[in-house]
CSV table of all heavy atoms in Angstrom, one decimal:
chain,number,residue,atom,x,y,z
A,1248,PRO,N,-36.4,-7.5,47.5
A,1248,PRO,CA,-37.1,-7.4,48.8
A,1248,PRO,C,-36.1,-7.6,50.0
A,1248,PRO,O,-36.4,-7.3,51.1
A,1248,PRO,CB,-38.1,-8.5,48.8
A,1248,PRO,CG,-38.2,-9.0,47.4
A,1248,PRO,CD,-36.9,-8.7,46.7
A,1250,MET,N,-33.1,-6.2,50.2
A,1250,MET,CA,-32.4,-5.0,50.5
A,1250,MET,C,-33.2,-4.0,51.3
A,1250,MET,O,-34.4,-4.0,51.2
A,1250,MET,CB,-31.9,-4.4,49.2
A,1250,MET,CG,-31.1,-5.3,48.3
A,1250,MET,SD,-29.5,-5.6,49.0
A,1250,MET,CE,-29.0,-7.2,48.3
A,1251,PRO,N,-32.5,-3.2,52.2
A,1251,PRO,CA,-33.3,-2.4,53.1
A,1251,PRO,C,-34.4,-1.5,52.4
A,1251,PRO,O,-35.4,-1.4,53.0
A,1251,PRO,CB,-32.2,-1.4,53.7
A,1251,PRO,CG,-30.9,-2.3,53.6
A,1251,PRO,CD,-31.1,-3.1,52.4
A,1254,GLN,N,-33.2,-1.4,46.9
A,1254,GLN,CA,-32.3,-0.8,46.0
A,1254,GLN,C,-30.9,-1.2,46.3
A,1254,GLN,O,-30.6,-1.6,47.4
A,1254,GLN,CB,-32.5,0.7,46.3
A,1254,GLN,CG,-33.8,1.4,46.0
A,1254,GLN,CD,-34.0,2.8,46.6
A,1254,GLN,OE1,-33.3,3.0,47.6
A,1254,GLN,NE2,-34.8,3.6,46.0
A,1263,LYS,N,-24.1,-6.3,58.7
A,1263,LYS,CA,-25.1,-5.2,58.9
A,1263,LYS,C,-25.2,-4.4,57.5
A,1263,LYS,O,-24.1,-4.0,57.0
A,1263,LYS,CB,-24.5,-4.3,60.0
A,1263,LYS,CG,-25.6,-3.2,60.3
A,1263,LYS,CD,-25.2,-2.4,61.6
A,1263,LYS,CE,-26.3,-1.4,61.8
A,1263,LYS,NZ,-25.9,-0.4,62.8
A,1266,ALA,N,-27.3,1.2,53.4
A,1266,ALA,CA,-27.9,1.4,52.1
A,1266,ALA,C,-27.9,2.9,51.8
A,1266,ALA,O,-27.7,3.8,52.6
A,1266,ALA,CB,-29.4,0.9,52.1
A,1269,THR,N,-25.5,8.1,48.9
A,1269,THR,CA,-24.9,9.3,49.6
A,1269,THR,C,-24.7,9.0,51.0
A,1269,THR,O,-23.6,9.4,51.5
A,1269,THR,CB,-25.8,10.5,49.4
A,1269,THR,OG1,-26.1,10.7,48.0
A,1269,THR,CG2,-25.2,11.8,49.9
A,1270,ALA,N,-25.6,8.3,51.7
A,1270,ALA,CA,-25.5,8.0,53.1
A,1270,ALA,C,-24.2,7.1,53.3
A,1270,ALA,O,-23.5,7.3,54.3
A,1270,ALA,CB,-26.7,7.3,53.6
A,1273,ARG,N,-21.1,9.3,52.8
A,1273,ARG,CA,-20.9,10.2,54.0
A,1273,ARG,C,-20.3,9.3,55.2
A,1273,ARG,O,-19.4,9.8,55.8
A,1273,ARG,CB,-22.2,10.9,54.4
A,1273,ARG,CG,-22.1,11.8,55.6
A,1273,ARG,CD,-23.4,12.4,56.0
A,1273,ARG,NE,-23.9,13.3,55.0
A,1273,ARG,CZ,-25.0,13.0,54.2
A,1273,ARG,NH1,-25.6,11.8,54.4
A,1273,ARG,NH2,-25.4,13.8,53.3
A,1274,TYR,N,-20.9,8.2,55.4
A,1274,TYR,CA,-20.4,7.3,56.5
A,1274,TYR,C,-18.9,6.9,56.3
A,1274,TYR,O,-18.1,7.1,57.3
A,1274,TYR,CB,-21.3,6.1,56.5
A,1274,TYR,CG,-20.8,5.0,57.5
A,1274,TYR,CD1,-21.0,5.1,58.9
A,1274,TYR,CD2,-20.2,3.9,57.0
A,1274,TYR,CE1,-20.5,4.1,59.7
A,1274,TYR,CE2,-19.7,2.9,57.9
A,1274,TYR,CZ,-19.9,3.0,59.2
A,1274,TYR,OH,-19.4,2.0,60.1
A,1277,ARG,N,-16.6,10.0,56.7
A,1277,ARG,CA,-16.4,10.3,58.2
A,1277,ARG,C,-15.4,9.3,58.8
A,1277,ARG,O,-14.6,9.7,59.6
A,1277,ARG,CB,-17.7,10.4,59.0
A,1277,ARG,CG,-18.7,11.5,58.5
A,1277,ARG,CD,-20.0,11.5,59.2
A,1277,ARG,NE,-19.9,12.1,60.6
A,1277,ARG,CZ,-21.0,12.1,61.4
A,1277,ARG,NH1,-22.2,11.7,61.0
A,1277,ARG,NH2,-20.9,12.6,62.6
A,1287,GLU,N,-20.5,22.9,61.1
A,1287,GLU,CA,-20.6,23.9,60.0
A,1287,GLU,C,-19.9,23.5,58.7
A,1287,GLU,O,-20.3,23.6,57.6
A,1287,GLU,CB,-20.0,25.3,60.5
A,1287,GLU,CG,-20.9,26.2,61.2
A,1287,GLU,CD,-21.1,25.6,62.6
A,1287,GLU,OE1,-20.2,24.9,63.2
A,1287,GLU,OE2,-22.2,26.0,63.2
A,1289,ASP,N,-19.3,20.2,58.0
A,1289,ASP,CA,-20.0,19.2,57.5
A,1289,ASP,C,-21.3,19.7,56.6
A,1289,ASP,O,-21.5,19.1,55.5
A,1289,ASP,CB,-20.6,18.2,58.5
A,1289,ASP,CG,-19.6,17.2,58.9
A,1289,ASP,OD1,-18.7,16.9,58.2
A,1289,ASP,OD2,-19.7,16.6,60.1
A,1291,GLN,N,-21.2,22.3,54.8
A,1291,GLN,CA,-20.6,22.8,53.5
A,1291,GLN,C,-20.6,21.7,52.5
A,1291,GLN,O,-20.9,21.8,51.3
A,1291,GLN,CB,-19.3,23.3,53.6
A,1291,GLN,CG,-19.1,24.6,54.6
A,1291,GLN,CD,-19.6,25.8,53.9
A,1291,GLN,OE1,-19.8,25.9,52.7
A,1291,GLN,NE2,-19.9,26.9,54.7
A,1293,ASP,N,-22.5,18.8,52.8
A,1293,ASP,CA,-23.8,18.3,52.6
A,1293,ASP,C,-24.6,19.1,51.6
A,1293,ASP,O,-25.3,18.5,50.7
A,1293,ASP,CB,-24.6,18.2,53.9
A,1293,ASP,CG,-24.1,17.1,54.8
A,1293,ASP,OD1,-23.4,16.2,54.3
A,1293,ASP,OD2,-24.4,17.2,56.0
A,1297,GLU,N,-26.0,17.8,48.0
A,1297,GLU,CA,-27.5,17.7,47.6
A,1297,GLU,C,-27.7,18.6,46.3
A,1297,GLU,O,-28.6,18.1,45.6
A,1297,GLU,CB,-28.2,18.4,48.8
A,1297,GLU,CG,-29.6,17.9,48.9
A,1297,GLU,CD,-30.3,18.5,50.3
A,1297,GLU,OE1,-29.6,18.6,51.3
A,1297,GLU,OE2,-31.5,18.8,50.2
A,1301,ASP,N,-29.3,17.1,42.9
A,1301,ASP,CA,-30.4,17.7,42.1
A,1301,ASP,C,-30.1,17.6,40.6
A,1301,ASP,O,-31.0,17.3,39.8
A,1301,ASP,CB,-30.5,19.2,42.5
A,1301,ASP,CG,-31.2,19.4,43.8
A,1301,ASP,OD1,-31.9,18.4,44.4
A,1301,ASP,OD2,-31.2,20.5,44.3
A,1320,ARG,N,-38.3,16.8,24.4
A,1320,ARG,CA,-38.9,18.0,25.1
A,1320,ARG,C,-38.3,18.4,26.4
A,1320,ARG,O,-37.9,19.5,26.6
A,1320,ARG,CB,-40.4,17.8,25.1
A,1320,ARG,CG,-41.2,19.1,25.4
A,1320,ARG,CD,-42.5,18.7,26.1
A,1320,ARG,NE,-42.3,18.3,27.4
A,1320,ARG,CZ,-43.2,17.7,28.2
A,1320,ARG,NH1,-44.4,17.4,27.8
A,1320,ARG,NH2,-42.9,17.3,29.5
A,1336,ARG,N,-22.9,27.1,38.0
A,1336,ARG,CA,-22.8,27.4,39.4
A,1336,ARG,C,-21.9,26.3,40.1
A,1336,ARG,O,-21.0,26.6,40.8
A,1336,ARG,CB,-24.2,27.4,40.0
A,1336,ARG,CG,-24.4,27.8,41.5
A,1336,ARG,CD,-23.8,29.2,41.8
A,1336,ARG,NE,-24.4,30.3,41.2
A,1336,ARG,CZ,-25.2,31.3,41.8
A,1336,ARG,NH1,-25.6,31.0,43.1
A,1336,ARG,NH2,-25.7,32.2,41.2
B,647,PRO,N,-30.3,34.3,41.4
B,647,PRO,CA,-28.9,34.3,41.2
B,647,PRO,C,-28.1,34.6,42.5
B,647,PRO,O,-27.0,34.3,42.7
B,647,PRO,CB,-28.6,35.3,40.2
B,647,PRO,CG,-29.8,35.7,39.5
B,647,PRO,CD,-30.9,35.3,40.5
B,649,MET,N,-29.0,33.4,45.4
B,649,MET,CA,-29.0,32.2,46.4
B,649,MET,C,-27.9,31.2,46.0
B,649,MET,O,-27.5,31.1,44.8
B,649,MET,CB,-30.4,31.5,46.3
B,649,MET,CG,-31.5,32.4,46.7
B,649,MET,SD,-31.4,32.9,48.5
B,649,MET,CE,-32.5,34.4,48.5
B,650,PRO,N,-27.3,30.5,46.9
B,650,PRO,CA,-26.2,29.7,46.7
B,650,PRO,C,-26.3,28.8,45.5
B,650,PRO,O,-25.4,28.6,44.7
B,650,PRO,CB,-26.0,28.9,48.0
B,650,PRO,CG,-26.5,29.7,49.1
B,650,PRO,CD,-27.7,30.5,48.4
B,653,GLN,N,-31.7,28.4,44.5
B,653,GLN,CA,-32.9,27.6,45.0
B,653,GLN,C,-33.2,28.1,46.4
B,653,GLN,O,-32.3,28.7,47.1
B,653,GLN,CB,-32.6,26.1,45.1
B,653,GLN,CG,-32.4,25.4,43.8
B,653,GLN,CD,-31.7,24.1,44.0
B,653,GLN,OE1,-30.9,23.9,45.0
B,653,GLN,NE2,-31.8,23.2,43.1
B,662,LYS,N,-24.5,34.4,56.9
B,662,LYS,CA,-24.0,33.3,56.2
B,662,LYS,C,-25.1,32.4,55.7
B,662,LYS,O,-26.0,32.0,56.5
B,662,LYS,CB,-23.1,32.4,57.2
B,662,LYS,CG,-22.3,31.4,56.4
B,662,LYS,CD,-21.3,30.7,57.3
B,662,LYS,CE,-20.7,29.6,56.5
B,662,LYS,NZ,-19.8,28.7,57.2
B,668,THR,N,-32.5,19.3,53.0
B,668,THR,CA,-32.0,18.2,53.8
B,668,THR,C,-30.8,18.6,54.6
B,668,THR,O,-30.6,18.3,55.8
B,668,THR,CB,-31.8,17.0,53.0
B,668,THR,OG1,-33.0,16.6,52.3
B,668,THR,CG2,-31.4,15.8,53.9
B,669,ALA,N,-29.9,19.2,54.0
B,669,ALA,CA,-28.6,19.7,54.6
B,669,ALA,C,-28.8,20.6,55.8
B,669,ALA,O,-28.3,20.5,56.8
B,669,ALA,CB,-27.7,20.4,53.6
B,672,ARG,N,-30.4,18.6,58.7
B,672,ARG,CA,-29.3,17.8,59.3
B,672,ARG,C,-28.5,18.7,60.2
B,672,ARG,O,-28.2,18.4,61.4
B,672,ARG,CB,-28.4,17.1,58.3
B,672,ARG,CG,-27.4,16.2,58.9
B,672,ARG,CD,-26.5,15.6,58.0
B,672,ARG,NE,-27.1,14.7,57.1
B,672,ARG,CZ,-27.4,14.8,55.8
B,672,ARG,NH1,-27.1,16.0,55.2
B,672,ARG,NH2,-28.2,13.9,55.1
B,673,TYR,N,-28.1,19.9,59.7
B,673,TYR,CA,-27.3,20.8,60.5
B,673,TYR,C,-28.1,21.3,61.8
B,673,TYR,O,-27.5,21.2,62.9
B,673,TYR,CB,-27.0,22.1,59.6
B,673,TYR,CG,-26.4,23.2,60.3
B,673,TYR,CD1,-25.0,23.1,60.7
B,673,TYR,CD2,-27.1,24.3,60.7
B,673,TYR,CE1,-24.5,24.2,61.4
B,673,TYR,CE2,-26.6,25.4,61.4
B,673,TYR,CZ,-25.2,25.3,61.7
B,673,TYR,OH,-24.7,26.4,62.4
B,676,ARG,N,-28.4,18.4,64.3
B,676,ARG,CA,-27.1,18.1,65.1
B,676,ARG,C,-27.0,19.2,66.2
B,676,ARG,O,-26.5,19.0,67.2
B,676,ARG,CB,-25.9,18.1,64.2
B,676,ARG,CG,-26.0,16.8,63.2
B,676,ARG,CD,-24.8,16.9,62.2
B,676,ARG,NE,-23.6,16.4,62.8
B,676,ARG,CZ,-22.4,16.3,62.2
B,676,ARG,NH1,-22.4,16.6,60.9
B,676,ARG,NH2,-21.3,15.9,62.8
B,686,GLU,N,-22.4,5.6,63.1
B,686,GLU,CA,-23.3,4.5,62.8
B,686,GLU,C,-24.8,4.9,63.0
B,686,GLU,O,-25.6,4.7,62.2
B,686,GLU,CB,-23.0,3.3,63.6
B,686,GLU,CG,-21.9,2.4,63.1
B,686,GLU,CD,-20.5,3.0,63.4
B,686,GLU,OE1,-20.5,3.8,64.3
B,686,GLU,OE2,-19.6,2.7,62.6
B,688,ASP,N,-25.8,8.1,63.0
B,688,ASP,CA,-26.1,9.2,62.0
B,688,ASP,C,-26.4,8.5,60.7
B,688,ASP,O,-27.3,9.0,59.9
B,688,ASP,CB,-24.9,10.1,61.8
B,688,ASP,CG,-25.0,11.2,62.8
B,688,ASP,OD1,-26.0,11.4,63.5
B,688,ASP,OD2,-23.9,11.9,63.0
B,689,PHE,N,-25.7,7.4,60.4
B,689,PHE,CA,-26.0,6.7,59.1
B,689,PHE,C,-27.4,6.2,59.0
B,689,PHE,O,-28.1,6.3,58.0
B,689,PHE,CB,-25.0,5.5,59.0
B,689,PHE,CG,-25.4,4.6,57.8
B,689,PHE,CD1,-25.2,5.0,56.5
B,689,PHE,CD2,-26.2,3.5,58.1
B,689,PHE,CE1,-25.7,4.2,55.5
B,689,PHE,CE2,-26.7,2.7,57.1
B,689,PHE,CZ,-26.4,3.1,55.7
B,690,GLN,N,-27.9,5.7,60.1
B,690,GLN,CA,-29.3,5.2,60.2
B,690,GLN,C,-30.3,6.3,59.8
B,690,GLN,O,-31.3,6.0,59.1
B,690,GLN,CB,-29.7,4.7,61.6
B,690,GLN,CG,-28.8,3.6,62.1
B,690,GLN,CD,-29.2,2.2,61.6
B,690,GLN,OE1,-30.3,2.1,61.0
B,690,GLN,NE2,-28.3,1.3,61.7
B,692,ASP,N,-29.5,9.1,58.1
B,692,ASP,CA,-29.2,9.5,56.7
B,692,ASP,C,-29.8,8.6,55.6
B,692,ASP,O,-30.3,9.0,54.6
B,692,ASP,CB,-27.7,9.7,56.5
B,692,ASP,CG,-27.1,10.8,57.1
B,692,ASP,OD1,-27.9,11.7,57.5
B,692,ASP,OD2,-25.9,10.8,57.3
B,696,GLU,N,-32.7,9.6,52.8
B,696,GLU,CA,-32.4,9.5,51.4
B,696,GLU,C,-33.5,8.6,50.7
B,696,GLU,O,-33.9,8.9,49.6
B,696,GLU,CB,-31.1,8.9,51.2
B,696,GLU,CG,-30.4,9.3,49.9
B,696,GLU,CD,-28.9,8.8,49.8
B,696,GLU,OE1,-28.2,8.8,50.8
B,696,GLU,OE2,-28.5,8.5,48.7
B,700,ASP,N,-36.1,9.8,47.9
B,700,ASP,CA,-36.5,9.1,46.6
B,700,ASP,C,-37.9,9.1,46.3
B,700,ASP,O,-38.4,9.4,45.2
B,700,ASP,CB,-36.0,7.7,46.7
B,700,ASP,CG,-34.5,7.5,46.6
B,700,ASP,OD1,-33.8,8.4,46.2
B,700,ASP,OD2,-34.0,6.4,46.9
B,711,GLU,N,-45.4,17.2,36.1
B,711,GLU,CA,-45.5,16.9,34.7
B,711,GLU,C,-46.7,17.6,34.1
B,711,GLU,O,-47.8,17.6,34.6
B,711,GLU,CB,-45.7,15.4,34.5
B,711,GLU,CG,-46.0,14.9,33.0
B,711,GLU,CD,-44.9,15.5,32.0
B,711,GLU,OE1,-43.8,15.3,32.2
B,711,GLU,OE2,-45.4,16.2,31.1
B,735,ARG,N,-42.7,-0.3,52.7
B,735,ARG,CA,-41.3,-0.4,53.3
B,735,ARG,C,-41.1,0.7,54.4
B,735,ARG,O,-40.7,0.5,55.5
B,735,ARG,CB,-40.3,-0.4,52.3
B,735,ARG,CG,-38.8,-0.7,52.7
B,735,ARG,CD,-38.6,-2.1,53.4
B,735,ARG,NE,-38.9,-3.3,52.7
B,735,ARG,CZ,-38.0,-4.1,52.2
B,735,ARG,NH1,-36.7,-3.9,52.4
B,735,ARG,NH2,-38.4,-5.3,51.6
Side-chain angles (χ1 to χ4, degrees):
Chain A
M1250 299 295 155
Q1254 299 161 333
K1263 189 171 175 186
T1269 305
R1273 183 183 293 106
Y1274 171 76
R1277 293 176 79 182
E1287 278 75 24
D1289 275 342
Q1291 300 284 343
D1293 287 341
E1297 207 174 324
D1301 285 346
R1320 194 202 70 195
R1336 189 57 63 108
Chain B
M649 299 295 156
Q653 300 160 331
K662 189 172 174 185
T668 306
R672 182 183 294 105
Y673 171 76
R676 292 177 78 181
E686 278 74 24
D688 275 342
F689 169 80
Q690 300 284 344
D692 288 342
E696 208 175 323
D700 285 346
E711 172 54 54
R735 189 58 63 108

